[in-house]
Amino acid sequence: MIVWAGVMLLGGAGAVCRFVLDRTVTAAMGRPFPFGTLAVNISGAFVLGFLGGLALRPELALLMGTAFIGSYTTFSTWMLETQRLAEERRGWPAAANVVGSVAAGLAAAAVGLWLGSLL
């Protein structure tokens, strides 16, 4: 029962954090490119890497990674926004969104893993 409560609380917290960061970045940068989703997914990759580097108990790592980061990051929004860029015939921004997100996400996860392993 405690695990289910943790999933609900951490999942809700992750969703709220995602909403706040996405709106904050979008308000600051504008809407022509999905910078808000990019910021959310890269920061989520960093945090997940960091948690992996901490060598937490498997139950805690699964709970944090699945509940919080799972609701914080968003693959579906990333793909939908890329699709919309392509539909608007904005091929370069669409490609940059895919390539940049993957490259920056992998780098962020690696840095997070490295930093977490130092603790």
Side-chain angles (χ1 to χ4, degrees):
M1 195 62 138
I2 292 174
V3 171
W4 288 104
V7 168
M8 287 188 292
L9 291 173
L10 289 171
V16 169
C17 289
R18 171 179 142 199
F19 179 79
V20 169
L21 181 60
D22 183 26
R23 296 294 177 202
T24 301
V25 171
T26 299
M29 302 295 290
R31 208 53 189 140
F33 188 84
F35 288 109
T37 301
L38 182 67
V40 164
N41 287 339
I42 291 171
S43 61
F46 171 82
V47 171
L48 192 58
F50 184 79
L51 291 172
L54 290 178
L56 301 172
R57 289 190 346 254
E59 302 83 18
L60 185 57
L62 181 63
L63 186 63
M64 290 295 295
T66 301
F68 182 78
I69 299 300
S71 66
Y72 176 72
T73 59
T74 174
F75 179 81
S76 57
T77 301
W78 172 50
M79 286 294 99
L80 179 62
E81 289 172 340
T82 302
Q83 165 82 21
R84 287 188 178 155
L85 288 170
E87 285 176 352
E88 294 169 356
R89 302 198 187 285
R90 299 179 63 213
W92 285 111
N97 195 32
V98 172
V99 173
S101 291
V102 170
L106 287 171
V111 170
L113 185 64
W114 174 71
L115 288 174
S117 69
L118 295 177
L119 299 178

